[in-house]
Amino acid sequence: MEGDTDLQFLLVGGDLLKVRSSSWKKTRFYKLQEDCQTMWHESKKTFKFNQTCEFSIKDISAVRAGRQSEGLRKNTEEPVEGRCFSIIFKGRRKNLDLMASSEEEAKQWVTSLEKIMSNMENLNKTDKLDTQHRMKADKNSDNKLSLEELKDFLHQINIEVDDQYAEKLFQECDQSKCGHLAGDEIEHFYSLLTHRQEIDTIYGEYAKTTGFMSAENLLEFLIKEQREEATLADAHRLINKYELDDKAKEKQLMTQDGFLMYLHMPEGLVLNPTHKAVHQDMSQPMNHYFISSSHNTYLMEDQLKGPSSTEAYARALIKGCRCVELDCWDGSDGEPVIYHGYTLTSKILFKDTIKAIKEYAFKTSDYPVILSLENHCSVEQQRVMAQHMSSILGSALLTSPLGDQMPTDFPSPEELKGRFLVKGKRLTKLEACFGPEETAGDDGSLTEEEEDDKEEEEEEKKKATEGKKLKLAKELSDMVIYCKSVHFNGFQDAKDNLGFYEMSSFKERKAMALAEESANSYIRHNVDKLSRIYPSGTRTDSSNYNPVPLWNAGCQIVSLNFQTSCNDMDVNQGRFLTNGKTGYILKPAYMRDLGSEFDPITLTAGPWLQHKTLHLMIISAQQLPKVNQKKTSIVDALVKVEIHGVPADTADKETPYIGNNGFNPMWNENFKFDVYVPELALVRFVVEDHDSVTDNDFVGQFTVPFTSLQMGYRQVPLLNKEGDPLPSAGLFVHIMIMDA
């Protein structure tokens, strides 16, 4: 980006108005540091006047133009819309709401920040020196590294090297013999440091054409090692796409650098690249899919006093979530609000939430979004809710069944692309849409038993109202089409008395019990009904439960607290990693058959049994981030491999730890796993920092469906605890899957 006007704009910087509240709006100076990776700004605190603060470009999730954030909508007026923008950070860090002096300047900030973010994402991770660490190590800022500065650099990039070895490398690279490294000498040192013996061995075995890989050599590698049905044309395509040396490319040869580049690109990763796009049949009834679902979507943190925010909806939807929850209560001035009832969680307006949902619903996925209403409002404010949904969502809101006849099954995700479905109570049967309307009570109340869909502790506080009929506005009731909430009275009752569109919500404990004790009945129930599972009300810290047993029982809407980073959310992200991150994953055929005999607990013989043996070698890791930020701390890396699926498949194994090396540890450790039901299995790679005294620290992970694994030598990208990529960090593995 050298000479780029957007880059120069950021390097020069400028004043922006930082907005925290309607009364706290202060001018701060922002600029990009010379490393082109760090934003600097001043902070004028009472006792730390002109304190400088920084944040990394890589910590930015998005830059949003206008008054899109909840803070800017609340604390600024509409006329300044064009001057406002927000920096959204990864994880739980609060948004940075800013206002420029003009609309043109605001556009320049947004454009420039988005460009440098994109540029950082596209940087070649395999051959770029870590400039940020190098500049920190260069104490006197002379663009040179002394031996002591070089040792400091090694600590920063998470590797401990013997002093004699470091000095040997230093002398080997110090071609000018002047006692410091500069320019190409630093690059040469880094290339020696990042040299990978395992790549030497693999490349050397197939580089049979004057020391290089010809297209024929590469094809042999793709067929023999990667077990791909490749052609010579595929080999030529990879050389043209990833070879860095123009002269080699002209001769259709692949150098070792080009080979390493290929291994870090989609074709060389552990995830089958054809599964990254939509590859499943999206024309099946909607209930034949697992659906990515969020619980208490409005919360950013815990369920007792944490903040509610429209930003939480944006984050969940951008992650591919397709079912969001709206906990609705009467608000002041006739405007319904969303918050966790009877707690100190903050409140957000229902209409602002619907606007945010409309804005972000289809950024990641085009497939339908379910609005799961937890309705505590008066009839009057229910009418306001219906009015807001109708006016804001417009024709995208589904308000009648598709077609001109009473349906007998759900429409498909494909048919519902770009549409919103409301889940909630309904005064009448769906059949009323096609004939004389059934009449509700005079008070507009439900005549059937109210669904037990509330958290336990909330019910205790509502004893006074228990047993009363739920008053429901007809305007809101009529918006519920394919997701009518009803009480669950057993599988036989549901089969005999409920329509396909009538669905139940289950507390986690009840659902787990059914999945364990009546798994096959649950699976058959979910062949023509939808089931929603939600966390126990005792999880006041917004913790999660294991979704896998519920997926094994065919449950579609297994709702998790997206705001909480944990193993369960990692597995959830892995489940919905494929199929274009649509938030819809087609269930296996044996979970879409009303006569299915599949039971994940007993595992009797059937088409689900496809016994596979997974042979996995954990070879090495590269550039693992430091967990403990103490200068002298180095990662003691180990790798765990977990299989999540039916009980017979659930297993985990781990490597020994490699002391004091998070930069390029090597294990060459072999594992073997038996997988009996591969279509339900997920493989989770976890890297930890070993600690002999306390629990190991989490470094990174990646979870992938078993059926989406690529065989051969593969790179495994790593994600942090928030599910965002760890730049440059990864595992190198060898995978072989065989019929048992």
Side-chain angles (χ1 to χ4, degrees):
M1 290 181 68
E2 189 173 348
D4 185 274
T5 55
D6 293 318
L7 175 62
Q8 293 306 313
F9 173 82
L10 293 176
L11 288 170
V12 172
D15 287 333
L16 291 167
L17 195 66
K18 183 177 180 180
V19 180
R20 282 188 178 172
S21 68
S22 56
S23 59
W24 198 105
K25 299 173 183 175
K26 298 185 179 181
T27 301
R28 295 289 184 260
F29 184 80
Y30 290 82
K31 72 184 292 287
L32 182 67
Q33 296 284 57
E34 293 298 322
D35 65 2
C36 297
Q37 299 185 47
T38 310
M39 287 297 296
W40 174 94
H41 63 100
E42 61 182 349
S43 176
K44 298 179 180 178
K45 295 185 179 179
T46 306
F47 300 107
K48 296 181 180 180
F49 193 76
N50 281 352
Q51 178 189 15
T52 59
C53 298
E54 297 177 344
F55 59 84
S56 174
I57 296 293
K58 69 183 181 182
D59 291 334
I60 300 176
S61 172
V63 182
R64 296 180 186 155
R67 298 165 62 247
Q68 292 195 47
S69 75
E70 183 184 347
L72 285 174
R73 283 197 300 270
K74 182 179 179 182
N75 301 315
T76 62
E77 300 298 325
E78 194 169 335
V80 300
E81 174 83 27
R83 293 167 52 197
C84 295
F85 67 96
S86 298
I87 295 176
I88 312 300
F89 293 100
K90 298 171 183 176
R92 289 188 173 184
R93 183 170 177 172
K94 290 182 179 179
N95 301 344
L96 182 57
D97 291 330
L98 301 166
M99 189 189 304
S101 59
S102 68
E103 292 188 10
E104 292 72 21
E105 187 183 347
K107 289 177 183 176
Q108 182 68 70
W109 276 104
V110 172
T111 300
S112 300
L113 285 167
E114 287 181 338
K115 180 181 282 189
I116 197 165
M117 288 167 61
S118 176
N119 182 262
M120 283 192 69
E121 285 183 14
N122 294 331
L123 276 175
N124 173 12
K125 297 180 176 67
T126 64
D127 65 353
K128 294 292 182 183
L129 179 58
D130 191 328
T131 309
Q132 187 175 15
H133 287 307
R134 189 184 74 185
M135 292 186 70
K136 286 182 179 179
D138 184 9
K139 303 297 184 185
N140 56 6
S141 301
D142 60 356
N143 292 319
K144 300 175 183 178
L145 290 181
S146 66
L147 178 59
E148 289 306 312
E149 287 175 330
L150 184 141
K151 290 178 182 177
D152 186 48
F153 169 67
L154 293 177
H155 269 286
Q156 289 189 38
I157 63 173
N158 206 7
I159 184 169
E160 186 169 285
V161 176
D162 179 84
D163 283 352
Q164 288 183 331
Y165 179 61
E167 189 168 348
K168 176 178 177 293
L169 282 181
F170 184 88
Q171 291 173 352
E172 185 177 338
C173 297
D174 185 13
Q175 300 294 321
S176 59
K177 306 301 179 186
C178 60
H180 59 251
L181 304 184
D184 291 343
E185 293 175 334
I186 297 177
E187 297 289 346
H188 181 49
F189 170 81
Y190 194 75
S191 66
L192 289 176
L193 192 67
T194 56
H195 176 244
R196 292 175 59 182
Q197 182 61 48
E198 70 273 29
I199 302 300
D200 281 355
T201 303
I202 299 165
Y203 182 80
E205 187 174 341
Y206 289 91
K208 302 172 183 177
T209 308
T210 62
F212 297 99
M213 267 190 185
S214 65
E216 290 77 11
N217 298 154
L218 179 57
L219 177 60
E220 183 186 2
F221 171 79
L222 294 174
I223 294 173
K224 184 177 177 182
E225 298 292 351
Q226 308 297 71
R227 300 301 174 105
E228 296 179 14
E229 295 179 359
T231 65
L232 193 58
D234 293 320
H236 284 297
R237 179 181 58 81
L238 291 175
I239 291 173
N240 290 327
K241 193 173 182 180
Y242 297 126
E243 179 50 53
L244 304 171
D245 187 306
D246 289 336
K247 291 182 179 179
K249 188 185 295 186
E250 285 177 13
K251 298 176 182 178
Q252 284 298 286
L253 298 174
M254 180 173 271
T255 63
Q256 187 164 327
D257 284 343
F259 181 66
L260 188 58
M261 174 73 82
Y262 147 73
L263 287 173
H264 280 81
M265 293 301 154
E267 294 91 339
L269 298 183
V270 68
L271 173 65
N272 186 333
T274 64
H275 289 192
K276 292 182 71 175
V278 177
H279 68 280
Q280 294 183 332
D281 178 7
M282 301 301 284
S283 64
Q284 297 287 319
M286 187 174 71
N287 66 314
H288 285 185
Y289 298 80
F290 298 123
I291 303 173
S292 179
S293 308
S294 164
H295 172 253
N296 286 351
T297 315
Y298 48 89
L299 290 178
M300 298 289 283
E301 296 175 13
D302 67 77
Q303 300 181 25
L304 294 180
K305 52 184 174 53
S308 304
S309 174
T310 57
E311 178 61 31
Y313 287 91
R315 294 186 182 192
L317 291 165
I318 288 171
K319 286 184 176 180
C321 178
R322 297 292 86 189
C323 179
V324 295
E325 184 177 24
L326 298 88
D327 208 340
C328 308
W329 300 80
D330 280 354
S332 58
D333 301 322
E335 286 290 346
V337 296
I338 292 175
Y339 82 112
H340 198 55
Y342 307 108
T343 68
L344 299 177
T345 57
S346 61
K347 301 175 182 179
I348 53 177
L349 290 175
F350 178 84
K351 65 179 178 181
D352 287 346
T353 302
I354 297 299
K355 288 177 183 177
I357 290 172
K358 181 186 179 183
E359 176 72 24
Y360 295 101
F362 305 113
K363 296 279 189 185
T364 299
S365 168
D366 294 331
Y367 290 91
V369 171
I370 300 170
L371 307 179
S372 180
L373 300 184
E374 195 69 63
N375 178 14
H376 307 274
C377 291
S378 62
V379 171
E380 292 75 15
Q381 294 209 11
Q382 289 178 41
R383 293 192 180 105
V384 176
M385 288 167 58
Q387 182 181 356
H388 284 323
M389 286 194 289
S390 179
S391 62
I392 294 169
L393 301 179
S395 60
L397 179 65
L398 192 75
T399 55
S400 62
L402 301 184
D404 54 8
Q405 297 182 35
M406 176 61 197
T408 57
D409 207 347
F410 289 93
S412 70
E414 192 66 34
E415 292 174 295
L416 293 170
K417 260 186 173 179
R419 306 299 296 272
F420 295 95
L421 283 69
V422 176
K423 171 195 168 294
K425 309 290 184 180
R426 183 180 168 91
L427 290 167
T428 63
K429 292 279 188 179
L430 190 60
E431 287 80 356
C433 294
F434 299 92
E437 288 203 22
E438 296 177 18
T439 57
D442 294 337
D443 58 357
S445 62
L446 286 172
T447 55
E448 68 260 33
E449 182 182 356
E450 182 183 353
E451 178 193 5
D452 178 20
D453 193 21
K454 307 295 186 292
E455 314 293 9
E456 295 93 330
E457 78 277 9
E458 190 175 299
E459 290 178 359
E460 288 297 316
K461 296 169 184 176
K462 292 196 69 178
K463 282 182 178 178
T465 61
E466 279 187 4
K468 292 184 179 179
K469 294 178 179 179
L470 173 69
K471 292 184 178 181
L472 189 60
K474 182 179 185 299
E475 295 87 342
L476 188 62
S477 165
D478 288 350
M479 290 180 170
V480 176
I481 305 300
Y482 291 112
C483 300
K484 178 185 177 182
S485 299
V486 298
H487 185 74
F488 179 72
N489 291 310
F491 294 126
Q492 191 61 46
D493 174 79
K495 181 180 178 181
D496 295 341
N497 301 313
L498 297 183
F500 74 91
Y501 57 89
E502 293 177 301
M503 62 175 291
S504 299
S505 291
F506 301 84
K507 295 183 183 73
E508 125 195 16
R509 286 196 295 271
K510 183 175 183 179
M512 289 288 189
L514 290 172
E516 185 173 337
E517 298 163 10
S518 310
N520 181 254
S521 297
Y522 216 168
I523 288 166
R524 293 187 179 193
H525 173 82
N526 289 320
V527 171
D528 67 347
K529 303 284 194 302
L530 279 169
S531 290
R532 173 179 172 265
I533 319 301
Y534 60 94
S536 167
T538 58
R539 294 184 181 273
T540 54
D541 58 352
S542 290
S543 60
N544 280 308
Y545 57 95
N546 181 7
V548 175
L550 288 316
W551 291 328
N552 291 344
C555 298
Q556 303 89 346
I557 305 177
V558 182
S559 301
L560 297 181
N561 290 306
F562 270 51
Q563 67 272 27
T564 303
S565 303
C566 60
N567 296 358
D568 304 310
M569 270 305 299
D570 292 343
V571 171
N572 190 77
Q573 185 175 9
R575 168 62 71 203
F576 296 100
L577 176 68
T578 58
N579 205 33
K581 294 186 178 179
T582 58
Y584 286 84
I585 297 293
L586 185 64
K587 295 196 285 186
Y590 50 81
M591 302 184 89
R592 294 181 271 129
D593 176 8
L594 275 172
S596 177
E597 296 296 330
F598 175 60
D599 188 316
I601 308 299
T602 59
L603 268 194
T604 54
W608 45 85
L609 277 181
Q610 303 167 35
H611 188 186
K612 306 286 184 183
T613 302
L614 170 63
H615 296 275
L616 177 62
M617 177 188 281
I618 305 297
I619 300 172
S620 60
Q622 299 78 44
Q623 301 189 46
L624 302 176
K626 293 177 70 169
V627 179
N628 188 329
Q629 293 305 313
K630 289 182 180 178
K631 183 178 177 180
T632 56
S633 174
I634 305 293
V635 166
D636 299 327
L638 64 83
V639 180
K640 289 183 177 179
V641 180
E642 304 168 352
I643 308 295
H644 297 265
V646 300
D649 291 343
T650 303
D652 62 89
K653 297 181 181 181
E654 68 180 65
T655 68
Y657 71 89
I658 304 294
N660 291 326
N661 188 352
F663 191 75
N664 56 0
M666 185 174 290
W667 292 274
N668 290 321
E669 189 82 8
N670 287 291
F671 296 141
K672 176 186 172 184
F673 296 94
D674 288 304
V675 178
Y676 295 93
V677 187
E679 288 180 289
L680 291 176
L682 296 152
V683 182
R684 183 170 182 253
F685 299 88
V686 191
V687 181
E688 294 182 346
D689 181 7
H690 172 75
D691 193 313
S692 58
V693 179
T694 61
D695 291 340
N696 295 344
D697 290 320
F698 174 88
V699 175
Q701 70 86 34
F702 190 73
T703 305
V704 60
F706 182 89
T707 53
S708 296
L709 290 171
Q710 289 209 99
M711 290 196 283
Y713 290 102
R714 301 294 174 182
Q715 198 73 21
V716 181
L718 292 176
L719 308 177
N720 63 18
K721 62 182 180 181
E722 281 82 31
D724 298 314
L726 287 169
S728 303
L731 294 173
F732 189 53
V733 303
H734 185 270
I735 295 171
M736 187 60 62
I737 299 171
M738 305 178 71
D739 292 329

